[in-house]
Amino acid sequence: MNTSTKRALIVRGGWDGHQPVETTDSFVPFLKEHGYDVRIEDTTAVYADAGYLAGVDVVVQTNTMNTIDGDELRGLIAAVRNGAGLAGWHGGIADSYRSSSDYLQLIGGQFATHPSKAAPDELAGEAADNFLRHTIDIVPERADHPIVAGISSFELTTEQYWVLSDDYNDVLATTTVAARDFDAWHRPVTSPAVWTRRWGQGRVFVSTPGHDLATVSDPNVRTIIERGILWASR
């Protein structure tokens, strides 16, 4: 019999190319197996319900390039400050509400670009133009963190996120964007790829790998996200 007392809220939407429904659906069984009652919302309106959020242990968000009402954003930030966890991946958390500096401060990183795999005149004009082989490097000093413990640096062929971030993040993994002859930047740039952040009494977890269902199904990415959700939870 299910005797769960924990609550997980999934908020999903935005750009369909990140498969917000498919990716979040894939984590529902995991959440239920760990004793969470799961509620799924397709808009951010629930963030304005302070009474409900007070009982939420973790918010799992994948909501890319969307907008959020001021009351909703204030509700989300207050919930995290009061102890609710916030977890997500890729643009669903690191490129959600571009117009809000308050959200950016909460998350600690904003998507800037994903480099293409070849020079512009060699691209086919499709999503796969931005899928390139790259490495996710576990930070050696953080290798014993429960989110990445036992995981070695690994390679992915998917979007590689260059994010703008600050040093309040606890960075668990990085990725280094190469500087090629056709790129505008002149040297390699290392960005956080997996990080955590404490905000008030709450915890924030971000994984930039997670473009689509295939990416979140990679064993390393999957393990990191599952552990990240549990780590962030109240």
Side-chain angles (χ1 to χ4, degrees):
M1 184 175 70
N2 185 357
T3 58
S4 65
T5 58
K6 296 182 287 186
R7 293 181 181 178
L9 169 65
I10 292 174
V11 176
R12 63 193 186 187
W15 186 57
D16 286 339
H18 282 163
Q19 299 183 316
V21 173
E22 295 87 346
T23 55
T24 52
D25 278 353
S26 75
F27 287 97
V28 170
F30 169 80
L31 287 165
K32 290 183 175 180
E33 288 167 5
H34 283 79
Y36 289 87
D37 290 323
V38 180
R39 173 175 172 178
I40 300 175
E41 293 290 335
D42 296 317
T43 75
T44 53
V46 67
Y47 288 156
D49 187 345
Y52 171 72
L53 287 184
V56 170
D57 295 289
V58 64
V59 178
V60 178
Q61 179 187 272
T62 177
N63 197 12
T64 305
M65 293 185 292
N66 215 333
T67 59
I68 189 168
D69 177 82
D71 288 340
E72 296 165 0
L73 179 59
R74 284 187 288 272
L76 172 62
I77 294 172
V80 175
R81 289 193 64 167
N82 290 330
L86 176 59
W89 52 89
H90 206 60
I93 194 167
D95 192 22
S96 298
Y97 316 117
R98 294 180 179 180
S99 63
S100 173
S101 60
D102 290 338
Y103 178 78
L104 175 58
Q105 187 186 31
L106 172 69
I107 298 303
Q110 169 62 45
F111 163 80
T113 193
H114 38 55
S116 60
K117 64 184 179 183
D121 58 0
E122 299 175 4
L123 300 175
E126 56 191 21
D129 289 346
N130 298 314
F131 292 180
L132 72 165
R133 195 73 174 170
H134 63 278
T135 302
I136 304 297
D137 290 305
I138 305 300
V139 176
E141 297 81 6
R142 306 301 291 137
D144 60 348
H145 191 284
I147 293 177
V148 295
I151 298 175
S152 300
S153 297
F154 58 95
E155 292 189 342
L156 294 170
T157 301
T158 184
E159 289 182 347
Q160 181 185 29
Y161 263 23
W162 175 335
V163 298
L164 309 180
S165 61
D166 62 47
D167 67 1
Y168 184 61
N169 292 332
D170 182 5
V171 179
L172 307 182
T174 63
T175 190
T176 299
V177 177
R180 301 158 298 185
D181 292 343
F182 56 84
D183 290 320
W185 50 97
H186 294 243
R187 60 177 175 81
V189 177
T190 298
S191 287
V194 179
W195 71 85
T196 64
R197 193 170 177 91
R198 301 291 184 105
W199 205 249
Q201 299 177 54
R203 296 177 170 188
V204 177
F205 159 78
V206 179
S207 168
T208 63
H211 174 76
D212 52 16
L213 184 59
T215 310
V216 301
S217 297
D218 174 271
N220 290 305
V221 176
R222 184 83 184 184
T223 298
I224 287 171
I225 293 175
E226 289 179 344
R227 291 176 177 179
I229 291 171
L230 297 181
W231 177 90
S233 184
R234 189 191 304 271

